[in-house]
Amino acid sequence: MMNQIFENSKEPLFSRATSKINVGPFDVATLKEILTDNYPTFSGGDLLNFYTFTGGVAKYVESFVQNQSFALDDILKSIFRENSFFLEEGKKCID
């Protein structure tokens, strides 16, 4: 959406961006810090699951932290609960 607003020649803000920032996913070390702060008893498996299901994407990490979903069962419950952010995200990809 931001690309369209600033890079589409038909949009009113075309060529007005003075700089760009590319935000990448968190690396494993950062995810480990997040788990340490929020779930100090995590295991290597918990870290692997946390990374596998988030890919380091900040929005996904934020959702799991807010829902206190760090262990595999909690992560799966968070993903598959009714009106889950993750289910809505999947529906958007299909449209």
Side-chain angles (χ1 to χ4, degrees):
M1 184 166 159
M2 296 304 289
N3 285 340
Q4 180 181 345
I5 292 171
F6 288 100
E7 295 178 4
N8 185 335
S9 62
K10 295 181 182 184
E11 295 292 329
L13 296 178
F14 176 68
S15 293
R16 296 213 181 164
T18 57
S19 61
K20 291 182 183 182
I21 183 169
N22 292 317
V23 179
F26 293 129
D27 60 13
V28 175
T30 303
L31 291 178
K32 189 174 180 179
E33 266 185 67
I34 292 168
L35 281 177
T36 300
D37 291 345
N38 293 281
Y39 187 60
T41 60
F42 76 93
S43 68
D46 293 329
L47 176 59
L48 176 63
N49 291 325
F50 200 67
Y51 179 76
T52 299
F53 284 100
T54 65
V57 174
K59 183 65 177 174
Y60 301 159
V61 171
E62 176 186 47
S63 178
F64 286 151
V65 169
Q66 286 176 343
N67 291 310
Q68 295 293 296
S69 300
F70 303 109
L72 180 59
D73 287 343
D74 295 329
I75 289 171
L76 293 174
K77 285 177 189 173
S78 183
I79 291 171
F80 294 112
R81 77 176 190 282
E82 189 175 356
N83 299 320
S84 164
F85 164 79
F86 295 95
L87 294 178
E88 293 302 315
E89 186 85 351
K91 289 176 188 176
K92 289 177 188 174
C93 292
I94 293 172
D95 292 338

